[in-house]
Amino acid sequence: MDQRENVTWLVCFTEGHHWATPFLKQGFGHVFLVREWGPLWVLVDPSVSHTQLQLVPQANFTLQDITRDARVLRYEGSVDCATPRVIGPFTCVEIVKSFLGIGALIFTPYQLWRHLNGRTFQRTEDAEAYGGGNESSTRAAG
């Protein structure tokens, strides 16, 4: 029985506001997820201490309001729901990787950015699907 799920997420990279920020690449201190779910935006904002999940009415906030000052990638892929993926410390990167089904050794937001833009993924030009000008799109190859 196939236990795969197709997923689409906007992967948002921003400045960090925590103890490790000085050691991370500027603009890549934090990563969070956004997706459309009916009339709502679903936000998954993980941190070392907790993960905040918010359902935000699209009538009240545009995607630009939510992703302001973020670098955004549109991710489409298939997640193997039967295979555990968490292999690192409980960080924003590890939580986002688990939502995307990525098991690679990636520890920083910038490494994740590079992985999503690397040879495993094929860049596409359909980022306007969510109406954002500050995003590009990736689609899982294979």
Side-chain angles (χ1 to χ4, degrees):
M1 182 162 97
D2 188 22
Q3 296 183 9
R4 301 190 72 75
E5 177 184 341
N6 293 325
V7 297
T8 301
W9 285 100
L10 298 179
V11 186
C12 307
F13 299 85
T14 63
E15 289 292 339
H17 302 286
H18 47 76
W19 68 269
T21 299
F23 305 104
L24 299 172
K25 184 168 182 67
Q26 185 174 356
F28 294 92
H30 182 60
V31 61
F32 66 95
L33 297 168
V34 178
R35 78 185 292 177
E36 193 172 13
W37 189 46
L40 303 170
W41 295 114
V42 178
L43 277 71
V44 178
D45 194 1
S47 70
V48 173
S49 63
H50 67 286
T51 298
Q52 185 174 25
L53 175 66
Q54 293 183 4
L55 300 176
V56 180
Q58 290 182 22
N60 296 353
F61 294 94
T62 66
L63 182 60
Q64 287 75 21
D65 293 333
I66 295 168
T67 62
R68 188 176 322 278
D69 300 324
R71 289 179 172 91
V72 179
L73 292 174
R74 184 167 188 246
Y75 173 86
E76 294 179 10
S78 180
V79 176
D80 179 356
C81 299
T83 304
R85 296 278 183 212
V86 178
I87 56 174
F90 189 82
T91 65
C92 61
V93 173
E94 203 61 38
I95 300 306
V96 166
K97 283 172 39 185
S98 72
F99 272 86
L100 303 180
I102 296 172
L105 290 174
I106 297 169
F107 301 104
T108 70
Y110 185 65
Q111 288 174 333
L112 181 59
W113 170 268
R114 290 193 53 183
H115 177 80
L116 292 176
N117 279 297
R119 60 181 181 208
T120 306
F121 293 88
Q122 197 173 33
R123 289 184 68 109
T124 63
E125 299 303 323
D126 62 353
E128 296 301 314
Y130 279 92
N134 63 340
E135 59 187 75
S136 59
S137 189
T138 59
R139 196 176 310 271

